[in-house]
Amino acid sequence: MSTRSSELVRAFEARDLDPVAFGHGDHVAVAYEMLRKYDFLNALVNYSKSLDAIATKAGAPDTFNTTITVAFMGLIAERMSSNHCTGYEDFISQNEDLLSKDLLAKWYSPERLKSDLSRKTFLMPDAANGT
């Protein structure tokens, strides 16, 4: 793990980072590192709790979305298990699509992902554009 990744994960787990400066790529990097550190369920719980707490602390408690979080964590974990990468940079170079916020549009309609229910619980894909 790079020094930057290590510091980012530490700050994320301590819930002590600037959410404005924490972009989608950072979300993916932290998820990757947490999936390396913990088994899937513990990574998902720790990641979700930290992300929700950071959003709440930033005054945006309704931005955490369970469906998006679980779906991205599942995709990252699946890709990690099928790739033999030497680290995050190698992993992301082979999985650049994970850096797209719109990746879940393959499986979910925008209405489903933006719903209040999606924020509260994991929703199965509605295969809007499923492949």
Side-chain angles (χ1 to χ4, degrees):
M1 179 179 338
S2 71
T3 303
R4 182 184 182 288
S5 293
S6 176
E7 179 58 27
L8 191 59
V9 170
R10 187 211 58 75
F12 183 81
E13 288 190 291
R15 301 164 186 179
D16 185 31
L17 53 74
D18 178 7
V20 175
F22 189 68
H24 179 71
D26 295 323
H27 283 260
V28 174
V30 168
Y32 172 87
E33 295 300 345
M34 290 183 81
L35 285 161
R36 286 181 53 160
K37 184 176 178 179
Y38 305 109
D39 64 74
F40 180 78
L41 290 178
N42 285 316
L44 179 60
V45 167
N46 292 338
Y47 184 92
S48 298
K49 285 182 177 181
S50 292
L51 188 58
D52 189 33
I54 291 165
T56 299
K57 184 177 176 182
D62 295 331
T63 59
F64 177 79
N65 187 304
T66 299
T67 300
I68 292 172
T69 302
V70 173
F72 262 102
M73 290 289 285
L75 281 170
I76 295 165
E78 181 179 351
R79 302 272 183 91
M80 288 173 70
S81 69
S82 61
N83 290 326
H84 303 288
C85 299
T86 58
Y88 178 72
E89 290 76 19
D90 186 27
F91 173 77
I92 207 64
S93 73
Q94 295 179 39
N95 296 281
E96 290 181 5
D97 62 329
L98 292 171
L99 295 176
S100 170
K101 288 183 178 183
D102 299 325
L103 179 60
L104 297 181
K106 290 181 178 183
W107 303 283
Y108 291 91
S109 66
E111 299 79 24
R112 190 161 178 88
L113 280 180
K114 293 178 183 176
S115 71
D116 287 337
L117 188 57
S118 177
R119 286 181 175 81
K120 296 174 185 169
T121 191
F122 175 72
L123 302 179
M124 297 298 291
D126 59 355
N129 300 312
T131 55

